[in-house]
Amino acid sequence: MFKSIEINNFRGINTLKIDELSRINVFVGPNNSGKTTIIESLFILTGMSNPRLSLNVNAFRDVLHSEENDFRLNFRGLNFDNKIYLSGFVEKDGRRSLEITPIYSKGM
C-alpha cells in the first residue's frame, strides 16, 4: 500500500506531493483537474518494470499510439523536455522511483 506519492511533469500535473495516503482515499475535483492522473501514476509505479504500462494507461483513455509523437500526451505541456518523475513510498517495500526520459530523433 502506498503511503505517499510525488508526481512531476506527468500529464497536466507540474508538481504534486501527497503524504499520508491510507487504505481508502477519495480524490474530488472538477473535470480535468488531475484525479485520474494521480491514479495512473500509482498504477505505473506499481508495475514500473513493465515498459508497456504507459501504453496501457493511455488505452484506458481510448488513446492509441500510432506515431512516436503520440507519447507527448504523457508529458506536461506536450513537451518532451519536461522529464516525468514519479515516486512513491510503499509500506513494505520502501521508496519506488521512476524517471521517464524520451529518446527521440532531432527531427521530432
Side-chain angles (χ1 to χ4, degrees):
M1 178 173 75
F2 281 92
K3 291 299 201 178
S4 66
I5 186 165
E6 182 178 349
I7 304 167
N8 292 302
N9 295 320
F10 184 53
R11 298 202 185 272
I13 295 177
N14 182 19
T15 302
L16 175 68
K17 185 172 182 179
I18 303 173
D19 292 318
E20 301 181 26
L21 291 171
S22 60
R23 294 191 74 187
I24 297 174
N25 301 279
V26 179
F27 300 107
V28 179
N31 291 344
N32 202 30
S33 63
K35 301 178 301 289
T36 302
T37 300
I38 295 168
I39 295 167
E40 290 170 341
S41 299
L42 291 167
F43 178 71
I44 290 172
L45 280 173
T46 299
M48 62 187 193
S49 62
N50 182 350
R52 294 201 44 86
L53 276 182
S54 68
L55 296 173
N56 293 345
V57 164
N58 286 323
F60 296 148
R61 294 178 180 244
D62 289 328
V63 174
L64 301 176
H65 294 293
S66 59
E67 299 178 12
E68 290 176 353
N69 258 347
D70 291 344
F71 286 97
R72 288 184 193 270
L73 296 172
N74 292 332
F75 293 81
R76 188 180 56 79
L78 306 176
N79 185 349
F80 278 149
D81 292 332
N82 293 323
K83 295 177 185 174
I84 296 171
Y85 177 75
L86 306 174
S87 178
F89 186 82
V90 181
E91 192 171 44
K92 294 181 182 178
D93 299 335
R95 179 138 321 267
R96 290 183 180 194
S97 299
L98 177 65
E99 183 175 291
I100 302 172
T101 305
I103 300 172
Y104 57 95
S105 64
K106 294 289 183 187
M108 291 183 67

